[in-house]
Amino acid sequence: MTFFRNYFALFLGLLGSIALAQDDQNDTQYKKRVLETTEVDFLSSYYSQDGDNAAVSGGIGTEQLTDATGTFVVSIPLNDDDILTIDAGVSAYTSASSSNIDPFDGGRRADPFVASSGASSGDVWVNLTGSYTHSSDDRNNIVSGMLSVSSEYDYFSLGFGGSYSRLFNEKNTEVSVKANVYLDSWNTIYPFELRAFGANGIGFFRPTEITGNVNYNPNFTEFDKTNRNSYSLGLGFSQILHRNLQGSLALDVVQQQGLLSTPFQRVYFSDVADSFIEDFQLADDVERLPDTRTKIALGGRLNWFVNELITVRTFYRYYFDDWGINSHTASVEVPVKISDKFTLYPSYRFYNQTAADYFGPYETHLSTQEFYTSDYDLSKYNANQLGFGASYTDIFAQLHIWEFGLKGIDLKFYKYDRDTTFRSYIITAGFKFVMD
């Protein structure tokens, strides 16, 4: 199943500025440290979604899911020029949709619109990322490297990469390049009813339990690949256009290879008679997608500092891939500073996309097709997201918890709606501490 898990991508940006000063006693120069002291960010979120087009049950059924995430980001200055950042996160979810990988392991009658209470109804995702950043003496060259490990019940991922940024034109211009590689391996888990027809065929229901087409015999084969490799390259350019105006452009290219289908997402064919146990329709097959995919995104930002109180941040991105999806994203955020310490963040985001070439709703695919999916994340849809946030900033970090001063608090709420039945909301909270 492809979850719409609006896992916020949360980053800690660290940019230093050069400072030259003259010592009255020995007339020597010094440079300012990129990061003065250790900083700790605690980030958390609560996410909830609902809908009636679950991919696990072939495009019908409940999409209910809740997820709670907690992340610690610790940035440690190793010396004047180098920073070590450690990012550790845990995400725990419960999903009515994924519980129906095996809809017959709960205490209630199997139904795609009702969650099963079995083992597949929840899981925990863990991640650990370490990065190292080095800035040149003049702070015009920034080099970083990254290594990450993450795991969930059905996959394991190893990632590594790096980036380089160059500032020039008195730091009014910046160009950057970044590259990442992620090597994922799947623990292939198939819908319960198909497991008897795989290579290791394990038991199944008695024939008398099947209604409808009682001669249930899907033409199912297991995937021969259980790995997925992703390679990404990003180019960035930013420019201060005016003292009140800053713009940036970005190009991102991603190449994926391997198992790009989700093994436990069912598909139902229109030319195969339906078979049921209780109120749950037995799968005709699982999602089948090509084993390569190329994604390209072009985007730009324009930030206008209207005055000391108001800033307007705009964003646009165009995306396309070789599966037939084209999308447009446009957003605007208007931070309003209501005092020296408090800022409000109203925002709006619009998104639309075309359907993938291989998408079809429930029971519209034919068994003779090579590729097929009923995952509505790959369908045609429009989406709107409204957001509101508030932040508290104290540059002097006067409030203390043990040896750490509280430098900032960020709270945000986002409500997301598609023009299908899908809807979600997410609440995020961030706390920044600095060591005295």
Side-chain angles (χ1 to χ4, degrees):
M1 165 182 166
T2 301
F3 293 119
F4 179 78
R5 300 178 61 183
N6 203 358
Y7 287 101
F8 259 49
L10 295 167
F11 301 94
L12 181 64
L14 298 169
L15 292 176
S17 61
I18 189 170
L20 299 177
Q22 201 75 15
D23 189 288
D24 293 337
Q25 302 298 323
N26 54 24
D27 198 35
T28 59
Q29 290 184 334
Y30 71 92
K31 58 184 177 182
K32 185 176 180 181
R33 294 168 65 92
V34 177
L35 184 65
E36 292 293 339
T37 186
T38 298
E39 295 185 349
V40 178
D41 287 76
F42 174 66
L43 312 170
S44 64
S45 67
Y46 177 81
Y47 171 81
S48 178
Q49 69 174 49
D50 198 4
D52 299 321
N53 302 114
V56 168
S57 44
I60 58 172
T62 178
E63 295 179 84
Q64 286 184 345
L65 180 147
T66 60
D67 178 274
T69 301
T71 302
F72 278 99
V73 181
V74 182
S75 301
I76 305 168
L78 303 178
N79 50 49
D80 288 350
D81 306 321
D82 301 321
I83 300 169
L84 174 65
T85 302
I86 299 173
D87 181 332
V90 177
S91 174
Y93 74 84
T94 58
S95 170
S97 178
S98 69
S99 73
N100 283 325
I101 295 172
D102 182 357
F104 312 106
D105 62 353
R108 291 185 283 187
R109 185 177 178 85
D111 187 311
F113 291 93
V114 176
S116 170
S117 58
S120 58
S121 62
D123 194 46
V124 175
W125 171 87
V126 294
N127 171 262
L128 179 64
T129 300
S131 62
Y132 175 85
T133 303
H134 171 76
S135 298
S136 62
D137 287 341
D138 61 5
R139 303 298 185 250
N140 287 329
N141 297 275
I142 304 169
V143 180
S144 69
M146 175 276 294
L147 178 66
S148 73
V149 177
S150 59
S151 178
E152 198 172 355
Y153 80 101
D154 62 340
Y155 86 93
F156 176 83
S157 178
L158 175 66
F160 55 92
S163 66
Y164 170 72
S165 298
R166 168 67 175 169
L167 288 79
F168 52 95
N169 188 24
E170 297 183 346
K171 295 183 171 56
N172 290 318
T173 305
E174 179 180 351
V175 293
S176 63
V177 58
K178 62 180 178 180
N180 293 304
V181 176
Y182 289 94
L183 307 176
D184 304 339
S185 59
W186 286 86
N187 175 20
T188 49
I189 299 174
Y190 298 101
F192 179 79
E193 66 271 25
L194 294 177
R195 298 173 194 174
F197 301 91
N200 299 318
I202 54 178
F204 188 55
F205 297 96
R206 296 183 303 274
T208 54
E209 294 181 280
I210 299 177
T211 60
N213 175 21
V214 296
N215 297 313
Y216 179 64
N217 187 29
N219 185 22
F220 167 73
T221 58
E222 297 181 358
F223 292 106
D224 57 1
K225 293 182 179 179
T226 59
N227 69 296
R228 174 181 60 199
N229 299 337
S230 302
Y231 311 93
S232 66
L233 176 67
L235 303 175
F237 171 82
S238 67
Q239 176 67 47
I240 297 177
L241 304 170
H242 181 269
R243 66 180 182 178
N244 293 341
L245 195 65
Q246 181 182 29
S248 65
L249 298 171
L251 168 66
D252 292 288
V253 180
V254 177
Q255 175 67 36
Q256 293 183 298
Q257 300 172 351
L259 179 54
L260 305 184
S261 307
T262 304
F264 49 77
Q265 295 189 167
R266 293 174 175 85
V267 170
Y268 300 111
F269 298 132
S270 61
D271 57 343
V272 174
D274 299 342
S275 299
F276 295 86
I277 290 180
E278 298 176 351
D279 296 323
F280 201 95
Q281 185 174 347
L282 306 183
D284 293 326
D285 198 3
V286 296
E287 174 182 84
R288 306 277 177 179
L289 293 169
D291 59 7
T292 63
R293 187 180 187 183
T294 301
K295 309 176 184 180
I296 299 176
L298 300 162
R301 297 181 183 274
L302 191 64
N303 297 336
W304 176 31
F305 303 92
V306 179
N307 52 45
E308 294 181 354
L309 301 180
I310 299 175
T311 302
V312 179
R313 299 172 180 169
T314 61
F315 171 76
Y316 171 78
R317 182 185 66 184
Y318 172 67
Y319 165 93
F320 63 96
D321 62 31
D322 57 357
W323 285 8
I325 292 180
N326 293 265
S327 73
H328 300 270
T329 305
S331 68
V332 58
E333 183 181 59
V334 185
V336 179
K337 192 171 184 179
I338 59 175
S339 73
D340 291 342
K341 294 184 178 181
F342 290 95
T343 303
L344 303 180
Y345 294 88
S347 65
Y348 170 73
R349 176 180 178 268
F350 173 79
Y351 176 84
N352 78 342
Q353 71 172 40
T354 60
D357 297 335
Y358 319 112
F359 172 79
Y362 166 74
E363 282 204 332
T364 58
H365 290 293
L366 298 175
S367 60
T368 54
Q369 293 176 273
E370 182 180 8
F371 301 118
Y372 33 78
T373 178
S374 293
D375 183 350
Y376 271 69
D377 285 348
L378 300 177
S379 70
K380 177 182 178 181
Y381 67 86
N382 297 328
N384 294 277
Q385 178 178 280
L386 292 173
F388 185 80
S391 71
Y392 164 84
T393 303
D394 179 7
I395 60 174
F396 300 108
Q398 295 175 329
L399 180 62
H400 284 70
I401 298 178
W402 294 299
E403 305 244 339
F404 292 89
L406 179 61
K407 190 174 181 178
I409 301 175
D410 285 287
L411 302 172
K412 290 186 178 179
F413 171 83
Y414 298 96
K415 186 178 184 298
Y416 174 93
D417 289 284
R418 293 182 185 176
D419 58 1
T420 62
T421 61
F422 186 92
R423 56 197 175 276
S424 71
Y425 68 84
I426 184 169
I427 301 171
T428 69
F431 303 85
K432 178 181 287 291
F433 298 91
V434 294
M435 180 177 286
D436 288 342

